Structures are given as C-alpha cells and as structure tokens.
C-alpha cells in the first residue's frame, strides 16, 4: 500500500500539469470517501477478528470526536501511524479505496517509460487486498465495494473530462450524474492533450494517425 501511495504522490507532484492532476485526484478521493462516510453512518458491523484492537468506549463529546478526527487526518488513515480508533467503520474499505485510486493515478499519469511498473503495481494491489482478507481486517463485501467505488468514480470522472474536451459532454449519458456539473469547472483550463491516451480508435485508423496518437499519448516523458 505504501509503495503504491508514494508512487502516486510522486507522479502527481512531478507532473507537468500537477495542479490539474492534483485537483482531479482529490476530487475523486473526496467522492469516494464521502460515500464511505455515508456507509459508515448507515452500516455498523462487528470486527472480523476477536484480536482486533479497538479504543475503549467513552462518553461522546465534541473534544473527543475532534481529537480522533485530527489523529486520523495527520496519519492519512494509515493504521501503522496511529492506534486504531474505530471498529465499526468497515463498509466501505478505506484501504481498498486508497490502493486502487493510487494505482489508477500511476497508470493514468505516469510517463510512458514507467508504464511497465503499472503491471507490477496491479498485481501488488490485488495482493494487498488478499493480505487484508487474510489478516481479517475487512470482510469480502468491504473489499468488493471499495474496488467498485474507487475504480468507477475515477474512470467516470476521466471519461467525462475527456468527453468535455472532445465537446461531447452534453450528449454523454454519464453527464447525468448529480456531480457532473463540477467537470466544466475543474476542466476549463486543462489542456485537451492530457486525455490523448484515453481516446479509443478503431482498427481502420491509418498507421499515420496511430503513430500520431502514440506520440501524443503522454503529456510528459
């Protein structure tokens, strides 16, 4: 998980259009974790293992809640940096949201010469999920929902962004999403060629056009 996270952060902060990439990624993260917050509020399930440490129960107060929020914020939700506070926040898996968002960031924005690493990271991502299940940190449903939410939000945002730059946003059914009005706001100053690697072309495309698309596939190398 840490390897994926560090690699994604390096790609984000060293990208030629870093501020555009950062706001895209953080918007996707915000959407995913907002859904997780909703699920945590609705669903409370017992921990998968009796060996899982949970902070002792205490009387609720604004100071206590604020203190726990600060602890979780500075540690970025990484349990290795802080003791576990909550035990019912399993649906949706925050580990899975972070792992696959980081993987998709690397796969989407890393330069072409580093793309072979994305295959290794893909294997590492699923290995991490398997390890989480073996360690009894989450139930299977937590992992499945985490994978589905993180990948769908990331892919849907970038599909809408590509559609916006191709001037097909208004006719794209994905634009029916309640949050799609953010796309024109976030993408108004983004260069269109950042999406060249997302374009699909059919087999009848001439070799000259294919070569042009490949050359412009990444905005930096």
């Amino acid at each position: 998980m840490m390897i994926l996270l560090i690699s994604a952060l390096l790609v984000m902060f060293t990208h030629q259009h870093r501020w555009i990439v950062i706001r895209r990624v953080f918007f996707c993260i915000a959407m995913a974790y907002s859904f997780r917050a909703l699920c945590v509020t609705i669903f409370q399930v017992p921990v998968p293992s009796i060996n899982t440490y949970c902070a002792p129960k205490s009387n609720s107060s604004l100071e206590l809640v604020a203190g726990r929020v600060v602890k979780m914020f500075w540690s970025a939700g990484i349990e290795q940096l802080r003791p576990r506070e909550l035990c019912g926040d399993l649906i949706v898996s925050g580990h899975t949201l972070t792992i696959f968002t980081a993987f998709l960031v690397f796969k989407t924005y890393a330069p072409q010469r580093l793309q072979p690493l994305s295959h290794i990271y893909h294997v590492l991502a699923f290995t991490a999920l398997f390890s989480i299940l073996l360690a009894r940190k989450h139930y299977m449903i937590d992992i499945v929902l985490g994978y589905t939410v993180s990948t769908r939000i990331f892919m849907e945002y970038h599909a809408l962004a590509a559609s916006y730059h191709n001037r097909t946003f208004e006719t794209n059914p994905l634009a029916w999403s309640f949050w799609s009005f953010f796309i024109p706001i976030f993408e108004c100053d983004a260069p269109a060629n950042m999406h060249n690697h997302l374009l699909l072309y059919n087999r009848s495309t001439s070799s000259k056009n294919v070569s042009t698309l490949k050359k412009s596939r990444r905005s930096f190398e």
Side-chain angles (χ1 to χ4, degrees):
M1 178 176 173
M2 292 302 298
I3 295 175
L4 286 167
L5 190 57
I6 293 172
S7 298
L9 289 174
L10 285 174
V11 168
M12 288 167 57
F13 286 98
T14 57
H15 196 280
Q16 181 182 356
H17 304 286
R18 61 181 62 87
W19 297 116
I20 296 172
V21 173
I22 288 171
R23 75 187 179 207
R24 287 177 177 177
V25 173
F26 275 84
F27 178 80
C28 292
I29 292 172
M31 288 291 296
Y33 272 87
S34 294
F35 180 76
R36 181 176 186 271
L38 176 64
C39 290
V40 169
T41 303
I42 299 174
F43 305 109
Q44 290 292 315
V45 294
V47 293
S49 173
I50 59 174
N51 297 320
T52 301
Y53 170 79
C54 296
K57 292 183 178 180
S58 58
N59 296 326
S60 298
S61 67
L62 181 60
E63 183 180 358
L64 177 64
V65 173
R68 289 183 174 181
V69 169
V70 170
K71 287 181 182 178
M72 296 181 70
F73 179 80
W74 77 262
S75 63
I78 301 172
E79 291 184 13
Q80 288 80 358
L81 301 179
R82 60 170 175 79
R84 188 179 181 90
E85 296 284 354
L86 304 176
C87 288
D89 59 335
L90 297 175
I91 300 177
V92 177
S93 169
H95 292 89
T96 308
L97 294 179
T98 302
I99 288 169
F100 273 93
T101 300
F103 163 70
L104 290 171
V105 168
F106 185 89
K107 182 177 178 62
T108 305
Y109 295 110
Q112 185 65 29
R113 61 178 175 272
L114 295 180
Q115 281 305 303
L117 279 177
S118 66
H119 301 294
I120 299 175
Y121 286 170
H122 205 175
V123 175
L124 286 179
F126 280 102
T127 302
L129 300 190
F130 186 67
S131 300
I132 291 171
L133 290 174
L134 284 181
R136 294 189 175 183
K137 293 290 186 181
H138 278 283
Y139 297 104
M140 177 65 77
I141 185 62
D142 311 335
I143 303 295
V144 173
L145 282 175
Y147 171 82
T148 303
V149 171
S150 59
T151 54
R152 294 316 101 180
I153 288 177
F154 191 94
M155 292 176 184
E156 185 172 340
Y157 180 94
H158 286 77
L160 284 172
S163 181
Y164 173 80
H165 291 292
N166 292 334
R167 302 183 184 278
T168 58
F169 182 78
E170 298 297 332
T171 59
N172 191 334
L174 292 177
W176 299 345
S177 298
F178 72 93
W179 52 267
S180 62
F181 68 91
F182 284 108
I183 301 297
I185 299 173
F186 289 163
E187 297 298 321
C188 62
D189 60 343
N193 62 2
M194 288 184 68
H195 295 282
N196 286 344
H197 64 287
L198 297 175
L199 296 179
L200 299 177
Y201 49 90
N202 56 38
R203 297 177 184 273
S204 63
T205 305
S206 66
S207 59
K208 181 179 179 180
N209 290 337
V210 172
S211 176
T212 302
L213 285 171
K214 287 183 178 178
K215 288 179 181 179
S216 60
R217 190 174 181 180
R218 299 289 169 183
S219 58
F220 76 108
E221 286 189 345

